Amino acid sequence: MSDQKHSMNFKFPQSMKKNSRPAPKSEDSEPIEVISWDRSLFQKNHSTPQDNDDSHPEEDKVVDFTEKVNVKKSGNEPFWDDGDRSKGPKLPPKNRKNKIQLSIPWPIVGAVMSAIVVGLGLGIVVFQFFLNDDTAYSEAAIPAQATVYTDVAFPSLHVDVVQGAAFTDMETAEKVVSEIKEKGLPAVLIPGEETQYMFLGVANDQARGTELSVHYGEQGQETYVKTYTVEGGEVSVGGEDAASWYTSANAIYQFLNNVSSQFIVANERGSISEENIAQLNQSVEQLRDSRDRAFSQMNEQARERSLQYADTLFSAVKALNTYHESNENDALYQIQQQLLQMIVQYEDVLTIINEE
């Protein structure tokens, strides 16, 4: 609406002036007379009040609830299955969680299974070997002959030793060893960094070593058993023959170790068959014939120690032949003495080779 002011004058009849009580209406009452009025408002704008009312909404802003009411009413009607499933509710998918897919390394699995099969096979072979080992102290097995090995390396020597006293003074240690030898018992000093260890016997396992320790304890010696290892190793160029020779010699060493410790612990006469003695002597002769060629590629110091080792081995075999002929126990102690001495000699050989 316009902000301009408009005026209109009226003239009231006399009957309406100064009369507090309204007069009754009559048909002949004087009308109100309009004296003057402003026509401009009605001449410029002939629109209806509804057209000028700003509060009246426009057509595009009118919200029609008719459609929503119809939808609401339709929800209250009974459901009729018309077979149309396109707009039907859907069930949630199964196994929505992400699955972890494992990639199985079949080559590795195959390798592991092969290793297990091979391990079981070797275990069965070794188990059957122990089941079939019926050798008593009266008859000991022996390697058939000196074997030529294709995988050449200096063998490691594993034994269980009977240890006596330990000394820090070399003079005292040598005196005690001499006194024990005078009694006909074996003894040897194993040098350490600061201590000298006295070994009195050697066996092929801890059980046998324990029995041997008890035997020497009855001779007045304080002893205990421990496992001792001389580590072998790979060979340098030209040392293959020497390593192969020592591998064959180690087999004879273990045979002498088994026989001598077993017969000493039994404390009664044991015997070895003529066939085994002949086989042993044949293997030793092969080592004797091949030692010069086997040690030819070694340096002078290592060759000298190896020749000493070979002579000691041959002396131990000679002592076993003596026992076979005479059944004297002193020969068994001589074998033990030679085996202990060979531990020291073999360590010296390997130390010299490793220092090259």
Side-chain angles (χ1 to χ4, degrees):
M1 296 178 65
S2 178
D3 294 334
Q4 296 180 359
K5 295 183 180 180
H6 305 277
S7 61
M8 182 179 290
N9 297 325
F10 298 90
K11 180 180 180 182
F12 295 92
Q14 287 294 96
S15 58
M16 297 180 65
K17 295 180 180 180
K18 298 181 182 181
N19 190 0
S20 60
R21 299 179 63 183
K25 290 183 179 182
S26 64
E27 297 178 357
D28 298 333
S29 60
E30 296 179 358
I32 299 174
E33 181 180 359
V34 179
I35 299 176
S36 66
W37 59 290
D38 190 354
R39 299 170 179 259
S40 61
L41 176 62
F42 298 97
Q43 292 176 351
K44 294 179 180 180
N45 190 1
H46 299 282
S47 61
T48 61
Q50 293 181 352
D51 296 335
N52 295 328
D53 191 356
D54 294 338
S55 63
H56 187 68
E58 298 179 3
E59 293 183 0
D60 57 348
K61 296 183 180 181
V62 176
V63 178
D64 188 2
F65 291 95
T66 304
E67 183 179 355
K68 293 185 178 182
V69 172
N70 293 335
V71 172
K72 184 175 181 181
K73 289 181 179 180
S74 64
N76 296 328
E77 296 178 356
F79 172 75
W80 298 97
D81 188 3
D82 56 359
D84 186 6
R85 300 292 189 274
S86 60
K87 297 183 179 180
K90 305 295 184 181
L91 293 177
K94 294 183 180 180
N95 302 326
R96 178 174 292 177
K97 295 182 179 180
N98 294 331
K99 294 183 178 180
I100 301 176
Q101 297 182 353
L102 299 178
S103 178
I104 301 177
W106 291 110
I108 297 178
V109 173
V112 172
M113 294 303 296
S114 300
I116 294 174
V117 171
V118 173
L120 289 175
L122 292 176
I124 293 173
V125 171
V126 174
F127 180 69
Q128 290 177 346
F129 170 79
F130 283 106
L131 288 180
N132 296 330
D133 186 11
D134 298 330
T135 304
Y137 71 87
S138 60
E139 188 73 24
I142 183 174
Q145 58 183 2
T147 307
V148 178
Y149 292 86
T150 56
D151 187 12
V152 180
F154 285 98
S156 295
L157 178 62
H158 303 282
V159 292
D160 286 274
V161 297
V162 179
Q163 180 176 318
F167 306 91
T168 55
D169 181 59
M170 189 65 179
E171 183 178 354
T172 303
E174 291 177 347
K175 181 180 179 181
V176 173
V177 168
S178 297
E179 292 175 354
I180 293 176
K181 286 183 176 180
E182 289 176 359
K183 297 178 181 179
L185 299 176
V188 70
L189 288 176
I190 302 295
E193 294 182 359
E194 298 180 356
T195 306
Q196 307 294 320
Y197 300 96
M198 184 175 65
F199 288 176
L200 301 175
V202 58
N204 59 338
D205 57 43
Q206 194 164 9
R208 182 73 55 75
T210 302
E211 294 175 346
L212 198 60
S213 176
V214 173
H215 175 77
Y216 287 128
E218 295 173 352
Q219 309 298 322
Q221 300 295 325
E222 295 183 2
T223 61
Y224 71 97
V225 180
K226 72 176 184 179
T227 300
Y228 193 82
T229 301
V230 180
E231 294 290 347
E234 298 180 357
V235 299
S236 58
V237 177
E240 293 85 357
D241 291 340
S244 179
W245 189 95
Y246 271 104
T247 301
S248 299
N250 185 61
I252 296 178
Y253 180 98
Q254 295 297 348
F255 170 76
L256 295 172
N257 181 11
N258 181 40
V259 170
S260 60
S261 61
Q262 193 172 22
F263 288 173
I264 290 174
V265 169
N267 200 23
E268 59 182 75
R269 181 181 181 277
S271 63
I272 306 174
S273 67
E274 294 291 339
E275 181 181 358
N276 280 345
I277 285 292
Q279 203 171 14
L280 172 65
N281 292 331
Q282 181 182 359
S283 298
V284 172
E285 286 303 317
Q286 290 179 355
L287 290 178
R288 192 190 302 273
D289 295 339
S290 62
R291 70 172 182 175
D292 292 337
R293 178 176 55 83
F295 302 156
S296 62
Q297 298 297 325
M298 304 177 76
N299 63 47
E300 183 178 356
Q301 191 176 7
R303 182 168 57 254
E304 181 182 354
R305 293 290 191 276
S306 294
L307 290 173
Q308 292 175 358
Y309 177 94
D311 290 339
T312 306
L313 176 63
F314 301 152
S315 297
V317 174
K318 183 179 179 180
L320 184 61
N321 278 274
T322 301
Y323 176 80
H324 176 67
E325 295 172 358
S326 63
N327 292 319
E328 296 179 358
N329 285 341
D330 290 344
L332 298 176
Y333 293 122
Q334 291 177 14
I335 295 172
Q336 284 277 302
Q337 178 66 45
Q338 306 299 334
L339 295 178
L340 291 173
Q341 191 64 39
M342 289 169 68
I343 294 176
V344 179
Q345 293 170 345
Y346 189 44
E347 275 191 315
D348 289 344
V349 171
L350 293 177
T351 300
I352 296 170
I353 293 175
N354 292 330
E355 289 177 352
E356 292 182 350

